[in-house]
Amino acid sequence: MKSFKLLSLLFLAATLTLLGCGDDNGPEPPVPQDAMFSQSDQVGRPAINTVFVSSGSKDAFNTTVPSNMKGQYQQPFENKLMALNPNYSKNALGQNAATFTTLLSNDVLNVATSGKTTFFDGQNVLTGRSLSDDVIDTELLLIFGGPDGSENPGLTSDNVDSNDKNFLDSFPYLAAPHQ
């Protein structure tokens, strides 16, 4: 029965993905000058929203302006962090739970206008993100690795060390899609 449910979910996901793919090669229709848009999703840092925001708060989180995120989500993020890692004391950046979740709850991706752009390279932290940055390993290390990164070694990596296809050297820089 469990396998049937899993197969049904996979089939549904594959069907929705295929239905969602359209012809993206045609010209874009013009956008009316008086068009109004609304924000429906935000993911400044991959997986943070997915892991730290409860399913009942996703819509509210996704439409919260960054200046209000800390006030509304720092404490729930800290509660979630302590539920995920009850022995959390400090991370490899020396941040206690309150400091770390204050950083995480403001789910924006900072960009350094000078210097190296990286999610984490051992010296620079959250100065942006390059496509090859191992964002998930960095986040897992900061959540589970403790002060020196050695705690919970089975939880500090997703064991995916690189993209499965090379990134392009020119715009749009993303790897070619699988055919």
Side-chain angles (χ1 to χ4, degrees):
M1 187 65 169
K2 189 175 181 180
S3 294
F4 177 74
K5 286 181 180 178
L6 180 60
L7 286 173
S8 296
L9 286 173
L10 287 173
F11 176 75
L12 178 62
T15 302
L16 291 173
T17 300
L18 290 173
L19 291 174
C21 294
D23 179 11
D24 294 338
N25 296 326
E28 294 289 328
V31 177
Q33 294 211 350
D34 60 345
M36 298 289 290
F37 299 93
S38 63
Q39 182 175 334
S40 60
D41 194 10
Q42 64 182 333
V43 181
R45 298 184 189 110
I48 297 303
N49 181 337
T50 304
V51 172
F52 284 91
V53 179
S54 67
S55 59
S57 299
K58 296 273 186 208
D59 289 341
F61 181 81
N62 286 329
T63 56
T64 300
V65 294
S67 60
N68 293 334
M69 291 177 138
K70 174 186 165 192
Q72 294 181 26
Y73 295 99
Q74 184 278 327
Q75 190 60 55
F77 274 39
E78 185 173 341
N79 295 342
K80 184 70 156 212
L81 174 66
M82 297 313 294
L84 291 169
N85 184 1
N87 296 320
Y88 184 95
S89 59
K90 288 187 177 183
N91 62 21
L93 301 175
Q95 298 169 322
N96 64 21
T99 302
F100 183 41
T101 53
T102 295
L103 173 72
L104 293 181
S105 63
N106 190 17
D107 192 21
V108 297
L109 183 60
N110 301 324
V111 177
T113 56
S114 62
K116 185 170 185 171
T117 298
T118 183
F119 203 73
F120 179 69
D121 68 356
Q123 295 180 347
N124 301 292
V125 181
L126 301 175
T127 58
R129 179 188 175 194
S130 69
L131 291 173
S132 60
D133 287 344
D134 198 338
V135 174
I136 299 300
D137 272 13
T138 299
E139 292 172 346
L140 290 172
L141 177 77
L142 294 175
I143 293 169
F144 296 108
D148 65 0
S150 67
E151 294 178 10
N152 304 303
L155 299 175
T156 57
S157 176
D158 62 2
N159 297 309
V160 178
D161 294 330
S162 64
N163 201 39
D164 58 345
K165 296 181 88 173
N166 292 329
F167 296 113
L168 301 175
D169 292 331
S170 59
F171 186 81
Y173 303 105
L174 300 172
H178 288 278
Q179 301 295 320

